[in-house]
């Protein structure tokens, strides 16, 4: 019997262009014995729970962010088109992903919606467009849209978001391996380092985090 | 006559462990014909001006951040000790750097204070420790501390922070080449790509940024 593969959770919301970029770099984790599970979470829910601001909610950061996304896309040979407006409401898209129980199917739809939004410039907040986009990816779009509107699926997305918050997830994309978080596509490299035996002194980290602040910024 | 070297501004505040990590990666920019100028700015001033939160001001992000810093330090072979408390007041350290007009001297002091704080675990908010640390780096620490307390130097740091804000700088470390920003040590790679002729479609970026939002998160 083959050893069970280790699981990596990939927390995503298609509202994040960095989640899109990371979704296109996950092949680097293949062949390592890892199984990647796409976990749809509502980014706005993470921000609210942590009292955090999204990067696109700070004007100078928003301006920088999309330049950065376009540069990183160009560097990695990915076509950037971008949705017709941002931010947009990703709820229905997230729920359609949530409605798929099979990991591979969910991943396939998520990748299709990421590409539709960020590469092809589709509006994935548009409930008229979503079934067509799901159809094009090999799904029954109308059936999926119907399931996305059920209380069970709505509740499942909310529960997944709450569970992520409880795990300390504050942003997307986040990868999670054995309870350890890796935030941002840039940290795929660090996850691989960890897999190869890289480690930190956990006692030192805990002691450092327990040190009281020497000053606080007045707010 | 040799062609004048192109200037890269490195905006930093020693309060940021990511600025420390980036300061140890700048050698990658050497030999490219670039001249690096260390520009001390008050990170708290950037946050206030942009209405932004520092990463260590969101508890879950703070916990993650220092794990991430320790992992990245380990990955790059850098010893992490960390200051006796964080955040701390970096004003005097920043002003001592500001007091040095010569770029090389300023860089030398900044690197020494980064190392003292993050590698050796010194308290660089302690005005009793700072002259000793500057002495050890080859400066006249007491003279520098005295100059750091002058209105001219205080004003110069405030002016540098305001100028950075006007350039769109919202965090540290930020590198700036020909008016273009690169935020975070991970983007040294992108700056090199840019130097080698990498480019984005500026008209596309401008058009994308001008698109109205399709939804807004209630806050």
């Amino acid at each position: 019997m083959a050893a069970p593969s280790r699981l990596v959770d990939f927390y995503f919301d298609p509202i994040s262009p960095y989640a899109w970029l990371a979704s296109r770099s996950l092949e680097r984790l293949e062949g390592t014995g890892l199984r990647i599970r796409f976990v749809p979470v509502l980014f706005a829910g993470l921000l609210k729970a942590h009292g955090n601001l999204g990067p696109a909610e700070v004007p100078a950061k928003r301006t920088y962010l999309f330049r950065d996304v376009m540069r990183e896309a160009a560097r990695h040979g990915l076509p950037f088109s971008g949705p017709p407006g941002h931010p947009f409401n990703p709820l229905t898209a997230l729920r359609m992903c949530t409605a798929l129980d099979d990991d591979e199917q969910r991943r396939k739809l998520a990748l299709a919606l990421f590409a539709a939004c960020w590469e092809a410039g589709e509006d994935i907040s548009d409930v008229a467009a979503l079934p067509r986009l799901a159809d094009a990816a090999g799904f029954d779009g109308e059936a999926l849209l119907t399931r996305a509107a059920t209380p069970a699926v709505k509740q499942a997305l909310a529960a997944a978001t709450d569970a992520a918050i409880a795990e300390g997830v504050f942003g997307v994309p986040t990868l999670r391996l054995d309870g350890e978080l890796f935030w941002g596509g840039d940290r795929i490299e660090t996850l691989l380092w960890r897999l190869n035996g890289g480690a930190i002194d956990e006692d030192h980290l805990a002691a450092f985090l327990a040190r009281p602040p020497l000053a606080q910024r007045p707010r």
Side-chain angles (χ1 to χ4, degrees), chain A:
Chain A
M1 202 176 93
S5 46
R6 288 168 81 183
L7 186 67
V8 173
D9 281 325
F10 176 71
Y11 296 97
F12 76 95
D13 181 329
I15 202 168
S16 163
Y18 291 116
W20 160 59
L21 289 170
S23 77
R24 299 296 301 258
S25 302
L26 295 174
E27 306 83 56
R28 304 197 45 221
L29 297 179
E30 312 288 359
T32 54
L34 293 177
R35 185 164 62 86
I36 300 167
R37 181 168 63 182
F38 273 54
V39 183
V41 292
L42 183 64
F43 182 41
L46 305 183
L47 293 175
K48 187 177 175 189
H50 292 295
N52 198 5
L53 288 170
E57 292 175 339
V58 176
K61 210 165 172 178
R62 172 185 158 80
T63 300
Y64 173 81
L65 183 152
F66 286 109
R67 171 179 298 281
D68 184 58
V69 165
M70 284 186 72
R71 284 190 314 220
E72 296 312 302
R75 251 177 16 102
H76 294 94
L78 296 171
F80 173 90
S81 178
H86 190 275
F88 56 81
N89 185 337
L91 259 180
T92 305
L94 283 165
R95 286 172 179 158
M96 286 173 73
C97 292
T98 303
L100 292 163
D101 289 322
D102 179 79
D103 285 349
E104 276 315 301
Q105 292 293 299
R106 180 183 287 184
R107 177 180 183 161
K108 189 174 150 193
L109 179 63
L111 290 174
L113 295 180
F114 268 129
C117 174
W118 294 103
E119 299 176 30
E122 296 274 1
D123 179 2
I124 63 166
S125 70
D126 177 2
V127 292
L130 280 166
R132 171 175 54 81
L133 297 169
D135 284 350
F139 297 92
D140 179 341
E142 283 298 342
L144 213 45
L145 186 67
T146 301
R147 284 170 59 199
T150 61
V153 166
K154 290 181 178 181
Q155 174 50 31
L157 175 63
T161 304
D162 288 345
I165 292 162
E167 291 285 348
V169 175
F170 53 86
V172 286
T174 293
L175 291 154
R176 183 168 159 268
L177 171 69
D178 299 338
E180 184 169 346
L181 305 181
F182 301 84
W183 175 51
D186 301 316
R187 294 302 185 256
I188 291 175
E189 202 62 52
T190 310
L191 191 149
L192 291 169
W193 168 83
R194 199 77 178 82
L195 269 184
N196 287 324
I200 62 165
D201 180 340
E202 294 286 343
D203 292 340
H204 186 160
L205 174 59
F208 180 81
L209 289 171
R211 294 178 195 167
L214 297 178
Q216 292 285 16
R217 179 168 77 97
R219 277 193 274 158

